Amino acid sequence: MHFDIIIIGSGLAGMTLALNLADKKKVCLITKRGLVDGASNLAQGGIAAVLDNQDSTDAHIKDTLIAGAGLCNEETTRFIVEHAKAAIDWLINLGVPFTRDAHHETGFHLTREGGHSHRRIIHAADATGEAVIKTLSGKIRAHPHITVLEDHIAIDLITGRKLGQADNACHGVYVLDRKQDKVLSLSADHTVLATGGAGKVYLYTTNPDIATGDGIAMGWRAGCRVANMEFIQFHPTCLYHPHAKSFLISEAVRGEGGILRLPDGSRFMPQHDERAELAPRDIVARAIDFEMKKHGLDCVYLDISYKPARFIQEHFPTIYSHCHSLGIDITKQPIPVVPAAHYTCGGLVTDLKGRTDVPRLYAIGEVACTGLHGANRLASNSLLECLILGRAAAEDILTASPPPRLDIPAWDESRVTDPDEEIVISHNWDELRRFMWDYVGIVRTNKRLERAQHRINLLHDEIHEYYSHFRVSNDLIELRNLVQTADLIVRCAMARHESRGLHFSRDYPQMAAQAINTVLTPN
């Protein structure tokens, strides 16, 4: 099958790109599960944008640069912040039901989150991602020029190097149809990675099961540089409950006055940072980690119960109902929380049009490293980046002339057999996530990183042998990508001899005078 554009991933970045291309191009949108089953759909807080007269683009830029601990690209940051209002207007025109406020000059309720100097987060109650994705997915389904392939997982990109060409342009992708258990060869004039992050490389994460670093690993194998993978953002407040899998307690709970407490009720954040609960995420996550280790705790508590019950239920209906279903009434008692892996700040190196090092291959959203997030992402800048870069990549693709079309060879299964013991995959998956949590988590040391690297090398060899001899499966593809992504995280972490933003090393506790990006180049 041939398309003008293949987009791998159906989160906000992929959907934004598809809708900005589909009136003029034939688009294929590939997604591992269902159309709405990505991390964007789970986003609670909202989208950061300068929308009222009390705020300014310079203030939003300054807040982003401070959170990014010296590593944000100022040109990128300004470009994204300055285009924010137009992107929000686009969503409003499409019918996204943002929470209204008749008393506010914009007509919408704006909230504040950690690291922001103003109320600038536009949101749909506490389920912004769901509201946005539901609206956009309806447009996607209805569009005659968009083909949606659900339950299809990308295996590898088809590049000129693999086809014996002089250049290394991207010509398409091999994809496993999970239901038919059949590999398809898809070609395209342009291919876009919008696959999200890699939270599932860690034992505890707020990410959905599909966040296995697929795009980062595929791009690296195809010849793309990767940057700043050591900066994994741990969200400070994931619900701690045996039956609550990966449920996030939004930043906005602290933005609206939530207080972090120890089991005895005492408050601890003011001892760690003068901004207390409204400090950036890296500081809050490290503070919680410190208190849990110091006191031998399983969790700490986030308390907003002192606010009126009606206020809590109106502002946080999703969090209220989910906690209530687990026997926690957040209007009367504090919420047990722990940090969890949340966002991949690094990724494939791109420019402000989403272009990677490989010709005709783009990367947008969490899979990419544009320079916006630096060493620590400012809350609610992620959905914004998806919108801006999705639209920018569409503009670039629409101005490009179509390349000559090549014949893509079929997937070769002539030398492989069905796997004999799939238990190898589940064992390796479990081992990887546990040692990444233990050795490459919120606080790192040289010794821990060396231990992780040693185990990754062993797993890499095992998985390569397995991949070479047996037919591919969904679990094998994901594990192969997770191990590759884990390797990139550890290599970046070992290269940074300082503590900055989300990367905190006991061996190098000071911040270096000069802020330098960690950039890895494939062989």
Side-chain angles (χ1 to χ4, degrees):
M1 288 187 279
H2 181 84
F3 299 91
D4 296 327
I5 318 294
I6 290 173
I7 303 168
I8 306 168
S10 65
L12 181 56
M15 285 190 179
T16 299
L17 177 64
L19 289 171
N20 278 276
L21 288 172
D23 288 344
K24 296 180 180 176
K25 297 286 185 180
K26 185 182 171 189
V27 177
C28 176
L29 192 64
I30 298 168
T31 183
K32 282 207 282 194
R33 301 277 174 90
L35 182 60
V36 302
D37 289 338
S40 296
N41 192 56
L42 300 177
Q44 292 178 357
I47 306 170
V50 175
L51 299 174
D52 75 14
N53 293 326
Q54 308 301 312
D55 201 359
S56 69
T57 54
D58 284 343
H60 188 177
I61 290 165
K62 183 181 177 184
D63 292 344
T64 302
L65 298 181
I66 290 170
L71 274 183
C72 297
N73 180 304
E74 290 197 38
E75 180 192 357
T76 299
T77 306
R78 182 166 292 280
F79 175 79
I80 289 172
V81 169
E82 287 181 346
H83 286 83
K85 186 178 185 305
I88 298 300
D89 289 342
W90 180 69
L91 290 179
I92 292 169
N93 290 335
L94 287 177
V96 174
F98 291 115
T99 297
R100 298 271 175 179
D101 182 353
H103 302 295
H104 196 274
E105 63 184 83
T106 62
F108 294 98
H109 183 268
L110 302 179
T111 192
R112 183 181 169 193
E113 294 180 346
H116 288 275
S117 56
H118 294 79
R119 284 182 171 265
R120 65 167 69 100
I121 316 300
I122 189 168
H123 60 101
D126 62 348
T128 307
E130 185 180 3
V132 172
I133 294 299
K134 184 178 179 181
T135 304
L136 268 58
S137 63
K139 309 285 184 189
I140 297 270
R141 296 262 191 218
H143 205 291
H145 295 158
I146 301 176
T147 300
V148 179
L149 296 182
E150 294 178 293
D151 288 303
H152 284 66
I153 179 170
I155 303 170
D156 254 331
L157 299 166
I158 303 168
T159 58
R161 192 167 59 199
K162 290 181 182 173
L163 300 177
Q165 300 290 314
D167 74 339
N168 193 40
C170 185
H171 300 281
V173 63
Y174 289 117
V175 175
L176 174 67
D177 180 337
R178 296 172 62 225
K179 289 192 171 173
Q180 302 292 327
D181 197 23
K182 177 177 153 190
V183 178
L184 310 176
S185 306
L186 306 181
S187 65
D189 297 340
H190 298 89
T191 303
V192 184
L193 295 167
T195 52
K200 292 301 284 189
V201 79
Y202 286 99
L203 186 60
Y204 300 111
T205 177
T206 63
N207 290 182
D209 289 343
I210 58 173
T212 51
D214 301 329
I216 295 166
M218 283 190 290
W220 171 261
R221 291 194 294 264
C224 298
R225 283 172 302 152
V226 164
N228 294 349
M229 288 295 292
E230 69 270 40
F231 300 118
I232 301 293
Q233 187 171 73
F234 288 80
H235 198 288
T237 54
C238 184
L239 179 61
Y240 179 75
H241 190 281
H243 301 131
K245 183 184 178 185
S246 308
F247 188 77
L248 184 68
I249 305 299
S250 169
E251 190 99 6
V253 174
R254 282 179 287 127
E256 294 295 342
I259 294 170
L260 284 163
R261 302 186 190 278
L262 296 175
D264 64 4
S266 60
R267 190 181 182 190
F268 59 86
M269 274 310 301
Q271 298 155 37
H272 292 270
D273 193 281
E274 62 185 12
R275 292 163 291 187
E277 281 78 9
L278 288 176
R281 286 176 177 173
D282 59 323
I283 293 168
V284 180
R286 268 201 307 279
I288 294 172
D289 184 68
F290 174 86
E291 296 292 343
M292 285 172 60
K293 286 185 168 69
K294 177 182 174 184
H295 298 286
L297 306 173
D298 292 326
C299 66
V300 296
Y301 295 87
L302 180 59
D303 186 13
I304 197 161
S305 64
Y306 68 92
K307 292 270 189 179
R310 185 176 172 188
F311 172 89
I312 295 168
Q313 290 163 353
E314 282 181 359
H315 279 75
F316 308 111
T318 307
I319 295 171
Y320 172 78
S321 61
H322 189 78
C323 288
H324 200 271
S325 72
L326 297 168
I328 304 165
D329 184 348
I330 69 172
T331 66
K332 297 177 181 175
Q333 63 195 109
I335 309 164
V337 293
V338 290
H342 182 61
Y343 191 86
T344 309
C345 288
L348 303 175
V349 176
T350 71
D351 63 12
L352 286 179
K353 293 179 172 140
R355 295 180 295 201
T356 69
D357 297 324
V358 174
R360 307 207 320 258
L361 177 67
Y362 294 72
I364 53 175
E366 193 175 350
V367 68
C369 185
T370 63
L372 172 66
H373 305 308
N376 177 36
R377 175 174 71 85
L378 183 65
S380 291
N381 270 355
S382 51
L383 293 182
L384 177 63
E385 183 185 40
C386 291
L387 288 165
I388 307 304
L389 269 295
R391 300 179 85 194
E395 288 175 15
D396 191 66
I397 288 168
L398 289 171
T399 60
S401 53
R405 194 177 298 180
L406 293 180
D407 287 331
I408 303 297
W411 180 256
D412 182 11
E413 285 193 331
S414 60
R415 289 168 293 179
V416 295
T417 60
D418 289 324
D420 49 4
E421 287 187 354
E422 299 216 8
I423 194 71
V424 172
I425 295 175
S426 61
H427 276 186
N428 285 357
W429 180 293
D430 186 58
E431 182 187 350
L432 174 73
R433 296 181 67 210
R434 285 182 183 279
F435 73 64
M436 285 297 289
W437 181 262
D438 290 338
Y439 300 148
V440 199
I442 295 171
V443 176
R444 298 161 181 174
T445 66
N446 290 348
K447 197 74 181 166
R448 289 176 187 175
L449 293 175
E450 286 167 8
R451 285 175 182 150
Q453 188 176 54
H454 175 66
R455 284 161 172 76
I456 286 169
N457 291 340
L458 294 174
L459 285 181
H460 189 274
D461 291 344
E462 268 188 38
I463 291 158
H464 179 71
E465 183 186 3
Y466 199 94
Y467 182 81
S468 303
H469 290 91
F470 299 115
R471 285 194 176 88
V472 292
S473 66
N474 183 87
D475 290 351
L476 175 58
I477 294 165
E478 289 186 330
L479 178 61
R480 180 180 181 232
N481 291 334
L482 275 175
V483 171
Q484 180 62 75
T485 305
D487 178 58
L488 295 170
I489 293 169
V490 171
R491 285 169 63 180
C492 284
M494 293 181 87
R496 185 165 294 280
H497 294 172
E498 62 162 347
S499 289
R500 183 182 297 273
L502 299 163
H503 174 76
F504 185 82
S505 169
R506 280 202 185 137
D507 294 297
Y508 310 102
Q510 303 305 313
M511 186 187 292
Q514 189 177 3
I516 301 172
N517 291 310
T518 310
V519 182
L520 303 179
T521 303
N523 295 331

